[in-house]
Amino acid sequence: MAMHPPAPDRVVADGFHFYRGGEKWLAKGVTYGPFEPGCSEDCYPAADVLEEDFRLMAECGINLIRLYDLPDDRVADCAERHGIQLLIDVPWPKHLDVYTDAKLRQMCLAMVDEGVRRAAAWNCTMGMLLGNEIPADIVRWHGSEKVENLVHEMYRHAKAIAPHLLIGFANYPSTEYLELEFLDFIGFNIYLDDPKALREYLVRLRHLYPDKPVILSECGLDSRGSGIDAQAQLLPEYICSGYEAGLAGVMVFAWTDKWFTGGKEIHEWDFGLVDRSRHPKQAYHAVKACFDVAPQCRRMETPISLVIATYNGGRTLKQCLEAVSRLRYENYETIVVDDGSTDNTAQILAGFPWVRVISQENLGLSAARNAGIAAATGEIVVFTDSDCIVDFDWLYFIAHFLEQNPEMAGVGGPNITPYANSISQRAIALAPGHATHVLISHTEAEHVPGCNMAFRKSALEHVNGFDPMYRKAGDDVDVIWRLQDCGYSVGFSTAAFVWHHRRPSVKGYLKQQAGYGEAETLLLKKHSHRFTDTGQSVWRGIIYPTHSMRSLSGAKRVRYGVFGTAGYQCIYHAPPAMWFYYVTSLEWWIFSLGLLLAGLVSPLAFAAGLAAVALSLGVAARAAVNSFPSSSRYPAAAFPLVWFLWVVQPLVRGGARYWHRLKVLPRRSASTPERRTTPAFKATRPVTQFWCETGGLWRAGLIERISTEMQARQWICAPNNIWENWDLSVVLSSWFRVRLVSVEECMGGKKRLLKLRCKLVPSTLLYIFIIGGLAACLLIALYDTILARWVLTGCLLMLLWAYRYAVRGRAEVWQLAEEVITREGYWPVTGVQENAEQVLTPMPLDGLSEKREV
């Protein structure tokens, strides 16, 4: 139980930031001390000096001071009078072998007990730090797990005494690899003179802790060694870079040049904002100028249009617009597109007269966003959803990122799940399949979710906005892929975040996943080269949720440096292996159930089926365990539902994907002009030649025309990449592809001979089916040879049917290619023709110059 009830205006941690009284509270801090023991009973300055220090701090905009020693009541009273919060270190002998010695361990817990009980009595205590910079060689000697366990035990002990206090830890780059997600917030002490390296490292830290506040618990520069001017220039870089990376606070080291450590007063370094006589230095005024405007340290005036597309979003729309109304950005407009809502959306919108409302019939998400783009007047068009709550500084960080990165066509940011009361909502928050970002680097994205994305309006107009065929989802993926295909890049800002409500019920969540499966089918139609044979999207980048997407084994690598002396000992988590997706997929379950059915006659097949099911359930259980953060917000009672969702989500999404593929592959659109009768079942000529004398399109242009025509007629096709030896791949079914390969011979002048090969190629899924079918037949044959023959016959008939369908599809592909080529001035070279000798005559050597001219 808490020793003292929490004050109503206590600082709390939620997501990326601290909040106080419902408002985001940005930590603007400075370190104070340590001072020489004996100058007072509590090692702090006399009352008059203390009063003057705190007065100057308040004038500087400082709202938090870090203390390295436990203070007494007079320090707390002085801080409260000046409206300053305290962040207090809990001293314990971290340099000793407290990790294996039980007596020393109990002594450390007793020190935590004493410190927390004293600090909890003051309303101005914002939180406690359980130590500061455990030496890297100590951690390396004992192993990070023992250190983490001790800190975790201290955390539980402290929270049991004062649950209202925020408990953190002051780490540093030499032990970055300590995994401390269980804490309320994380501090890092960083001293980097290179602004670029500083920004990159701060962004890295923000990625390492994507659901916790991170603060710069120490940063500074010695003015004695580097100069007064250099200190005044670098400290604003620390402050601005910290806030622009999404950190919750920055603490400058130190307040005064006079400080004491290691048993002596330090005279060699001057890190203070004020000198030893308490006179403000140039750095004091530079820091004050930053804290006065933080986190918006640089002025942004780029006009922005915020577009919110909603369909029956009345449940959360009011909360969304209230957050939008509090955005701290001057030059923006808000456009809400009501896509034919039938709930109370219109009544809610009437209560926000400053919002531009566009009402239309229900045309889908993409059409609604396109309507917002058409009405937008800003240079940047920003998108969020009606179930999101935007951060107060969201637009500023979007505008700032695009101004600092003019080569980027757009930018996105994180979306964080807000706290939910019900067990089911908490379980859904830990389930897989939510909208998230995929990063190529820390600042460049391959994908950003539609609930938090922004683009330059000119770039959207260049790619004709969103594709209206995406009515539910997939529009964000499609538009970003098209931008990338046009040579654009999309960035990622760790500071520009939104709160995103997940689906309120399990039924709604599963319906959303089915919609995502449908969207993946539509994406497959346009971007088949970005998908596997089973319809899984292939990403070049890294998917960045936290625990749930890490390796199931928890594997990680740490760059310790030679003899463990690296100043930045970085941690790298192993990504989840592909086999994880295979053993939880719909295809795996079908295979497992097939083995169980075969087990009616074969005990061995039944045992294999049980093992396959057990493996899938076990992997899902392990993933569910990994998804649980070390927080009391997610009780163990939610685990069964989380496990269930990890099992069911791939089945629902995969099933929807296959269902919609059966509906759209590879049929023609109803609006497509009627083509000639489908060719009969026969083999297509493997190679055909076309002759042209009028200088029609070159080979690359013809392939592009064929691809465009096939996509217009709802065929799924993909151009080759730099590693393939074919020109165009066409999807006939899940089992077969057609590959078109071409070559062109120049016969002099405008005369050309085009050769085209049309090859039928099996997919990976066909090989899996064949191997699985043969394995099942062998298992069945051990107990019932007659049934095994029937099963084998059925498999062969399925293969024959699939091959017949594929051959007919290849004939259709060939026919369409022939139509396109003949329209461009070519004619087939078949049989004996009058101009056969002319066609097959090699080009003379002097014709090379003519080819170059053409």
Side-chain angles (χ1 to χ4, degrees), residues 594-595 597-606 772-793:
L595 287 176
L597 288 176
L600 295 175
V601 296
S602 170
L604 187 60
F606 186 76
L774 289 176
C777 290
L778 288 174
L779 290 173
I780 296 173
L782 294 176
Y783 295 91
D784 192 328
T785 56
I786 297 177
L787 180 60
R789 291 173 186 171
W790 278 106
V791 172
L792 181 61
T793 302

Side-chain angles (χ1 to χ4, degrees), residues 705-779:
R705 289 284 176 87
I706 294 172
S707 175
T708 302
E709 188 72 19
M710 287 184 175
Q711 289 179 356
R713 301 191 183 194
Q714 301 299 307
W715 287 88
I716 296 179
C717 60
N720 74 318
N721 56 41
I722 60 176
W723 308 106
E724 306 294 351
N725 62 352
W726 41 263
D727 297 326
L728 196 66
S729 177
V730 184
V731 179
L732 297 178
S733 66
S734 297
W735 286 2
F736 285 101
R737 307 283 188 269
V738 166
R739 299 277 167 77
L740 297 179
V741 187
S742 63
V743 67
E744 196 168 47
E745 299 179 14
C746 188
M747 297 298 181
K750 296 182 178 181
K751 299 176 182 178
R752 291 196 296 274
L753 181 67
L754 176 71
K755 295 182 179 180
L756 190 67
R757 179 186 298 134
C758 188
K759 185 179 181 181
L760 196 62
V761 179
S763 71
T764 305
L765 196 62
L766 177 60
Y767 290 118
I768 294 174
F769 173 79
I770 293 173
I771 294 172
L774 289 176
C777 290
L778 288 174
L779 290 173

Side-chain angles (χ1 to χ4, degrees), residues 368-398:
R369 285 178 169 164
N370 285 338
I373 296 171
T377 60
E379 295 178 16
I380 301 172
V381 184
V382 184
F383 300 92
T384 191
D385 295 337
S386 58
D387 57 355
C388 291
I389 304 169
V390 299
D391 177 60
F392 302 149
D393 302 295
W394 176 53
L395 292 185
Y396 166 80
F397 289 121
I398 285 175

